[in-house]
Amino acid sequence: MADDPFALFDAWFAEAQASEPNDPNAMALATADARGRPSARMVLLKGHGPDGFIFYTNRDSRKAGEIAANPQAALLFHWKSLRRQIRVEGPLTWATDAESDAYFASRGRDSQLGAWASDQSRPLADRSTFETRFAEVQARFDGQDVPRPPHWGGYRLTPDHIEFWQDRAHRLHERRTFDRAGDGGWTEGLLYP
Ligand SMILES: Cc1cc2nc3c(=O)[nH]c(=O)nc-3n(C[C@H](O)[C@H](O)[C@H](O)COP(=O)(O)O)c2cc1C
């Protein structure tokens, strides 16, 4: 009987939240374009559970374009002081509007205004152009709640492969893998380090 990878993720994530000084929820997100050329960047994990791992971003960004062309991705957590990494792979879908609305509403006002002001991943002539745009949206939404921009929302990665890597003495590192089985459960394995 395989262990539950989500319970193991929860346990490791809780330890990271207790010990990492900054952004224990930071993870590298790897995508690839239609020609198979990969790219990676950091994003923040903002929700997780048996139905997937959620992050939020601009849906007109470079990553969003790559996801539209090739909706497969990988996530990588590395908690240096714990000497652990977790690799997560699978297809991506949009989070629901309700999820994106709820998370957007929970953000600080400056982050909300920034989401309106930023054309993420597009060329920017100079820093002052962004500051001017930020001032414009500040004025536009003055005295009212900032709504979620139509181009901003969440993505859910539904894992079909998860690997837990733990540093061990004498380079006998431990690698535990979980692959989604046909019945919806998980097949557990070990890999040579
Ligand atoms: C620690 C860290 C966390 C980040 N979190 C996010 C995030 O949650 N969402 C996001 O859109 N960008 C985030 N960024 C910025 C991205 O790394 C990246 O610059 C941006 O999303 C544009 O990526 P793209 O051009 O590949 O679409 C984060 C950067 C760092 C260093």
Side-chain angles (χ1 to χ4, degrees):
M1 184 76 179
D3 281 341
D4 174 2
F6 297 109
L8 188 52
F9 182 89
D10 284 347
W12 282 27
F13 189 49
E15 284 183 58
Q17 285 177 304
S19 64
E20 294 296 318
N22 283 309
D23 296 336
N25 59 334
M27 55 190 184
L29 164 70
T31 54
D33 68 15
R35 290 173 301 158
R37 182 187 161 106
S39 70
R41 78 292 288 154
M42 301 303 291
V43 293
L44 296 176
L45 180 72
K46 289 295 179 180
H48 71 279
D51 60 348
F53 293 76
I54 296 183
F55 61 89
Y56 292 91
T57 194
N58 185 312
R59 288 175 174 163
D60 293 330
S61 63
R62 174 180 172 186
K63 73 179 84 54
E66 295 186 2
I67 292 165
N70 175 8
Q72 298 283 335
L75 303 172
L76 174 65
F77 297 85
H78 177 211
W79 295 304
K80 288 184 189 174
S81 50
L82 293 172
R83 301 181 185 280
R84 284 174 171 169
Q85 75 173 347
I86 300 179
R87 301 166 66 169
V88 184
E89 297 164 20
L92 286 169
T93 50
W94 278 6
T96 64
D97 284 347
E99 287 169 321
S100 294
D101 286 341
Y103 177 63
F104 190 80
S106 79
R107 301 181 91 200
R109 191 173 178 85
D110 279 354
S111 299
Q112 293 176 333
L113 294 170
W116 279 98
S118 172
D119 276 338
Q120 192 176 62
S121 314
R122 301 267 166 78
L124 173 63
D126 51 36
R127 185 83 200 159
S128 67
T129 304
F130 184 40
E131 284 163 9
T132 303
R133 286 181 58 143
F134 189 86
E136 282 166 4
V137 295
Q138 245 177 342
R140 177 171 161 196
F141 294 114
D142 189 32
Q144 43 175 304
D145 287 345
V146 182
R148 177 168 64 92
H151 60 263
W152 191 97
Y155 287 87
R156 170 181 282 103
L157 187 149
T158 304
D160 50 34
H161 178 79
I162 306 179
E163 181 194 313
F164 295 84
W165 186 102
Q166 165 82 64
D167 179 82
R168 296 277 190 223
H170 312 301
R171 305 256 150 207
L172 301 181
H173 309 313
E174 181 181 282
R175 297 179 67 186
R176 287 179 75 182
T177 57
F178 294 85
D179 286 280
R180 186 81 77 175
D183 63 359
W186 294 90
T187 305
E188 186 175 351
L190 285 177
L191 298 177
Y192 278 102

